[in-house]
Amino acid sequence: MSGASGKPALRLGIAGLGTVGVGVLQLLRDNAAAITARAGRPIEVVAVSARDRTRDRGVDLAGLRWHDDAAALAGDDGIDVVLELIGGAEGTARTLVESALSRGRDVVTANKALLALHGAHLARIARESGAALLFEASVAGGIPAIKLVREGLAADRLLRVGGILNGTCNYILTTMRDTGRDFDDVLSEAQALGYAEADPSTDVDGWDAAHKLAILAGLAFGQPVAFDGLHVDGIRAIQACDQHFARELGYRIKLLGTARRTGDDAIEAWMRPCFVPKNAPIAHVDGVFNAVVTEGAFSGPMLIEGRGAGAGPTASAVVADVIDLARGTALPVWGVAPKAEIACAPRSALGGEYYLRVIVRDRPGVVADIAAALRDAGVSLRALSQHDAAREPGGTVPLALVTHHTTEAAMISVISALEALESVVGTPLLLKIETV
Amino acid sequence: MSGASGKPALRLGIAGLGTVGVGVLQLLRDNAAAITARAGRPIEVVAVSARDRTRDRGVDLAGLRWHDDAAALAGDDGIDVVLELIGGAEGTARTLVESALSRGRDVVTANKALLALHGAHLARIARESGAALLFEASVAGGIPAIKLVREGLAADRLLRVGGILNGTCNYILTTMRDTGRDFDDVLSEAQALGYAEADPSTDVDGWDAAHKLAILAGLAFGQPVAFDGLHVDGIRAIQACDQHFARELGYRIKLLGTARRTGDDAIEAWMRPCFVPKNAPIAHVDGVFNAVVTEGAFSGPMLIEGRGAGAGPTASAVVADVIDLARGTALPVWGVAPKAEIACAPRSALGGEYYLRVIVRDRPGVVADIAAALRDAGVSLRALSQHDAAREPGGTVPLALVTHHTTEAAMISVISALEALESVVGTPLLLKIETV
């Protein structure tokens, strides 16, 4: 079929018919007329691939070519664009994307792990074959974060990019804060509600969010970020008492990612739970919502907040990429010609203000011991809080410390010293204080 | 000069060397290398025009062609793109843009009044000559709101677009809320600080923000909005007592614009001070910051917040448009082929919950009279508040009423009835309650 404009339809092949794949089919049907008008030509799904041919997915697949092997989509010459909606950094998804790109076929993907771990490699393949590789849906779901950084802020020198990039973690932390409940309890509820996976580690250990941060950083700084240097902490160690101390001290706890330019060819990048001031815009991004923050030398600070996951938002992002392809406005992967990977500063080079929570046996001299450990590392204190009401069975009590600006190396040495004290129970929790 | 890519430089002519024009020159110099890499070719300013040739603007203009008459830039064949940074819906700005577009020359502008009042006409000229007309900087300064709506959300069916679009009004309302001071007092301070013009009416009467809303609505709904049907209220009538009632009732006052799809070919659009719930994301956009909100059938709700004015943010948006032109990715004005203007629903067709503040002479029977007026119009009350502490010299006292859902027509008739009461002083204030 060709459009009123006379331009031929753009033909899509979809690999993966999970919630996102089905959402894409639904959106393309619901909004067909408007999409054709905006794209300047019709957009048609002509082929699909999924594991189970017989499953009822609630959408009509009649008339579409079916490939049992997703990789076969790469070789289907009746397709202009492959939509990779399978997921995973390796296996079928990677094979399909590499194979399609190397044949010069355009690819749209929602796959954050693939881009974070193999983005530099894929960008080279795409550049050599002249194919486009688009991945708006890989970061922050329906939020057009990639377009914002690569095009909307293309004129500016970005100093910082980051945000709240995992809805599962944000939901868990928000619920812990609002209910006073513990991590395990809230995680179980999130699993029952479908907000967390049966194996939650990709989310709660910070990896999913870190993949998205690496992609954003690559776009902001114009070159891929070496993912293995990115410091990643998850949220499992956050306890109810930490939420309590955060409120008392005027903060909220968020799993926050930041990539910051520290020099002409130097960045720091990390994904970790942080204390953020309760009046900061990012402190009000709650529940399953995601937010991306940027700071530019000219544009100043910016925040965009929206739904970071789900069939509808993700389909909106996937099809926006398809419309860019139909309009002929797709850009190189990092917005510029591919460059070598940039390394992140090591953890020991980071610094800032910190929140340190220690569980101690409540006996004479314990605060003096802790204060001595901080003094020995050259760390000065801004606030200290302990509540007898928080005393646990067995006579332990949580103690919160807030430092002035110091180095992360100093804090690591403080933690080693504290762990050696007989009066300290378990591993102290160290959170960065980030005044975004 | 031609770039490493071999592509010739994109040559710019800048009309207007006020803070924005100078900001653009500064940004193009500061970020030249990165911009060339992103655009795929060098971008060069070759000509300028401004009123006073001798004024020191703090940037070097040596080597640039000078035109005393800005309109002459349209006929300068050494220019690829005209940057119109003069402003104003008529006069030189309009003449220059029309003339440049009709000669097939691309135009980038920051001019919201021009786009809101003559966008349909300019889009036709651009379409006929094949020229591009870009205007990212016309809405919300450094926030890439136009790219967000026209490209980032191109796949979705937008139900609503709007936001806080005037930093002067947001600064005044925020300061009134935080200090308890009156409108006139805060306005004078804003003028002294340079946040408000000597003649503040374009800002405080809502016109500047309404122009921006009309542009966003045109993009969201794919056709220009007839500006004269847009209902506009400014913020002059807001008093310290309204800020007090807002806090007591759990709201914040924001000058908020909304354009909402109410049918296949029907919209409502208005710019007016509103009560927004204090926990809504938009309630936390304070000071001179702007925010754009969208709601899509698939993407859900989204908010983007940043600096809505100033040399740096505006220059960032202007040059992002220039990079799109250099990359060859510029789009038609409304994202689709031009269509006829769409009319806004008349004010009488609007509805919602309302805040109504009445100044009354404190005497027996006054509340009964007001309650009767509401009853006669079929309006039911959700809350009522009066504080004797707020009694003014002369024995008048402000009374706040919050209604259940009703029609704006009913509220207009209530206000007429109240104005006829001897016990009511001045004109009651009607604000919409908007749960964005």
Side-chain angles (χ1 to χ4, degrees):
Chain A
M1 181 177 116
S2 76
S5 65
K7 282 196 196 164
L10 188 74
R11 300 162 304 171
L12 313 182
I14 299 183
L17 289 178
T19 52
V20 173
V22 170
V24 167
L25 286 169
Q26 206 89 57
L27 187 154
L28 285 169
R29 285 169 194 189
D30 283 10
N31 296 350
I35 288 172
T36 301
R38 291 171 197 160
R41 57 199 282 202
I43 291 173
E44 272 180 21
V45 180
V46 296
V48 293
S49 171
R51 276 202 202 135
D52 181 355
R53 199 161 181 155
T54 58
R55 203 172 117 209
D56 179 9
R57 296 175 170 88
V59 284
D60 183 10
L61 301 175
L64 306 183
R65 273 195 303 286
W66 183 280
H67 293 279
D68 286 316
D69 177 11
L73 283 170
D76 182 334
D77 287 330
I79 293 172
D80 301 306
V81 185
V82 170
L83 271 54
E84 185 277 296
L85 306 174
I86 302 165
E90 309 296 340
T92 311
R94 183 176 178 187
T95 307
L96 169 61
V97 171
E98 287 183 350
S99 160
L101 289 177
S102 58
R103 289 162 188 252
R105 189 149 294 156
D106 295 338
V107 172
V108 172
T109 177
N111 192 328
K112 60 219 77 164
L114 182 69
L115 261 293
L117 300 180
H118 307 301
H121 176 60
L122 297 173
R124 272 193 299 274
I125 301 179
R127 177 151 168 109
E128 277 159 22
S129 73
L133 170 61
L134 300 182
F135 44 98
E136 182 61 80
S138 69
V139 177
I143 300 173
I146 287 168
K147 190 170 277 285
L148 171 76
V149 172
R150 191 167 51 181
E151 301 175 40
L153 299 173
D156 205 358
R157 176 177 160 88
L158 285 183
L159 309 172
R160 178 169 60 90
V161 67
I164 294 175
L165 299 173
N166 184 277
T168 305
C169 289
N170 205 36
Y171 171 83
I172 291 173
L173 291 173
T174 303
T175 306
M176 287 177 69
R177 179 193 78 204
D178 290 347
T179 64
R181 285 156 59 200
D182 267 319
F183 173 82
D184 290 329
D185 184 20
V186 176
L187 172 60
S188 303
E189 182 187 81
Q191 288 170 318
L193 290 168
Y195 293 161
E197 309 273 347
D199 174 0
S201 50
T202 306
D203 289 319
V204 302
D205 293 331
W207 297 107
D208 171 84
H211 289 150
K212 297 169 186 166
L213 178 67
I215 295 170
L216 284 178
L219 295 163
F221 305 128
Q223 62 192 113
V225 170
F227 184 76
D228 53 8
L230 208 148
H231 175 66
V232 183
D233 282 338
I235 64 166
R236 290 186 200 260
I238 309 289
Q239 300 186 5
C241 69
D242 300 310
Q243 295 284 1
H244 174 91
F245 283 128
R247 180 176 300 112
E248 177 191 328
L249 296 161
Y251 295 95
R252 291 180 169 189
I253 302 175
K254 295 289 175 192
L255 178 65
L256 189 68
T258 292
R260 185 178 277 124
R261 196 191 286 271
T262 53
D264 268 348
D265 270 307
I267 62 166
E268 66 172 63
W270 42 260
M271 176 62 62
R272 58 199 293 182
C274 289
F275 268 33
V276 296
K278 69 171 185 214
N279 291 324
I282 198 120
H284 297 278
V285 177
D286 281 340
V288 296
F289 277 76
N290 278 204
V292 171
V293 294
T294 59
E295 184 169 353
F298 284 79
S299 57
M302 206 171 293
L303 175 147
I304 181 165
E305 173 181 359
R307 291 199 187 280
T314 310
S316 168
V318 167
V319 179
D321 273 350
V322 172
I323 294 174
D324 273 357
L325 283 172
R327 282 168 162 171
T329 61
L331 293 175
V333 169
W334 310 114
V336 295
K339 287 197 229 173
E341 285 193 336
I342 186 168
C344 305
R347 187 178 172 201
S348 57
L350 304 179
E353 294 177 273
Y354 293 88
Y355 162 83
L356 180 67
R357 184 259 299 150
V358 195
I359 309 284
V360 298
R361 294 182 223 283
D362 193 14
R363 58 179 65 157
V366 59
V367 173
D369 289 347
I370 291 171
L374 288 155
R375 180 202 59 209
D376 293 349
V379 176
S380 72
L381 276 184
R382 188 156 65 74
L384 187 150
S385 177
Q386 179 191 328
H387 294 284
D388 277 0
R391 187 185 308 273
E392 310 231 340
T396 62
V397 66
L399 182 70
L401 308 157
V402 176
T403 76
H404 282 292
H405 195 284
T406 183
T407 65
E408 185 127 345
M411 294 310 296
I412 293 169
S413 79
V414 166
I415 290 176
S416 296
L418 296 185
E419 283 184 301
L421 292 177
E422 200 269 324
S423 52
V424 168
V425 180
T427 302
L429 176 72
L430 180 71
L431 303 186
K432 199 168 189 307
I433 296 178
E434 192 70 2
T435 52
V436 286
Chain B
M1 181 179 115
S2 73
S5 64
K7 283 195 195 167
L10 188 74
R11 299 162 304 171
L12 313 182
I14 300 183
L17 289 178
T19 51
V20 174
V22 171
V24 166
L25 285 169
Q26 206 88 58
L27 187 154
L28 285 169
R29 285 170 193 189
D30 283 10
N31 296 350
I35 288 172
T36 302
R38 292 173 196 158
R41 56 201 281 202
I43 292 173
E44 272 180 21
V45 179
V46 296
V48 293
S49 171
R51 277 200 202 135
D52 181 355
R53 199 160 181 157
T54 58
R55 204 173 116 207
D56 178 10
R57 296 175 171 86
V59 285
D60 183 12
L61 302 174
L64 305 183
R65 274 195 302 286
W66 183 281
H67 294 278
D68 285 317
D69 176 12
L73 283 170
D76 183 333
D77 287 330
I79 294 172
D80 301 306
V81 185
V82 170
L83 272 54
E84 185 277 298
L85 306 173
I86 302 167
E90 310 297 340
T92 312
R94 183 175 178 187
T95 308
L96 170 62
V97 171
E98 287 184 350
S99 161
L101 289 177
S102 59
R103 291 162 187 252
R105 190 149 293 157
D106 296 337
V107 171
V108 173
T109 177
N111 192 328
K112 59 219 80 166
L114 182 69
L115 261 292
L117 301 179
H118 307 301
H121 175 60
L122 297 174
R124 272 193 300 275
I125 300 178
R127 176 149 168 110
E128 277 159 23
S129 74
L133 171 60
L134 299 182
F135 45 97
E136 183 61 79
S138 69
V139 177
I143 300 173
I146 288 168
K147 189 169 278 283
L148 172 75
V149 171
R150 191 166 53 180
E151 301 175 39
L153 299 173
D156 205 358
R157 177 178 160 87
L158 284 184
L159 310 172
R160 178 168 62 89
V161 67
I164 294 174
L165 299 173
N166 183 276
T168 305
C169 289
N170 205 37
Y171 171 82
I172 292 173
L173 291 173
T174 303
T175 306
M176 287 177 69
R177 181 194 77 206
D178 290 346
T179 63
R181 286 156 59 198
D182 267 318
F183 173 81
D184 290 329
D185 183 20
V186 177
L187 172 60
S188 303
E189 182 188 81
Q191 287 170 319
L193 289 169
Y195 293 162
E197 308 274 347
D199 174 359
S201 51
T202 306
D203 289 318
V204 302
D205 293 330
W207 298 106
D208 172 83
H211 289 149
K212 297 169 185 165
L213 178 67
I215 296 171
L216 283 178
L219 296 163
F221 306 128
Q223 62 191 112
V225 171
F227 184 77
D228 54 9
L230 208 148
H231 175 66
V232 183
D233 281 339
I235 63 165
R236 290 186 199 260
I238 309 289
Q239 300 186 5
C241 69
D242 300 310
Q243 296 284 1
H244 174 90
F245 284 128
R247 180 175 300 112
E248 177 191 330
L249 296 162
Y251 295 94
R252 291 181 169 190
I253 303 175
K254 295 291 173 190
L255 178 64
L256 188 68
T258 292
R260 185 178 276 125
R261 196 191 285 271
T262 53
D264 268 349
D265 269 309
I267 64 165
E268 67 172 64
W270 42 261
M271 176 60 64
R272 59 197 295 182
C274 289
F275 267 33
V276 297
K278 70 171 184 212
N279 291 324
I282 197 121
H284 298 278
V285 177
D286 281 340
V288 297
F289 277 77
N290 279 205
V292 171
V293 293
T294 60
E295 184 169 352
F298 283 79
S299 56
M302 206 171 293
L303 176 146
I304 182 165
E305 174 181 0
R307 291 200 186 281
T314 309
S316 168
V318 167
V319 179
D321 274 350
V322 172
I323 293 174
D324 274 357
L325 282 171
R327 282 168 164 170
T329 60
L331 292 175
V333 170
W334 309 114
V336 295
K339 287 197 232 175
E341 285 192 337
I342 187 169
C344 305
R347 187 179 171 200
S348 58
L350 304 179
E353 294 177 276
Y354 293 89
Y355 162 83
L356 179 68
R357 184 259 298 150
V358 195
I359 309 285
V360 298
R361 293 182 224 284
D362 193 12
R363 58 180 63 160
V366 59
V367 172
D369 290 347
I370 291 171
L374 289 155
R375 180 201 59 210
D376 293 349
V379 176
S380 71
L381 276 184
R382 187 157 66 73
L384 187 150
S385 177
Q386 179 191 328
H387 294 283
D388 276 1
R391 188 184 309 270
E392 311 231 339
T396 63
V397 66
L399 182 71
L401 308 157
V402 175
T403 76
H404 283 292
H405 195 283
T406 183
T407 65
E408 185 126 346
M411 294 310 296
I412 293 169
S413 79
V414 166
I415 290 176
S416 295
L418 296 185
E419 284 185 299
L421 292 177
E422 200 270 324
S423 52
V424 169
V425 181
T427 302
L429 176 71
L430 180 72
L431 302 185
K432 200 168 190 306
I433 295 178
E434 191 71 0
T435 52
V436 285

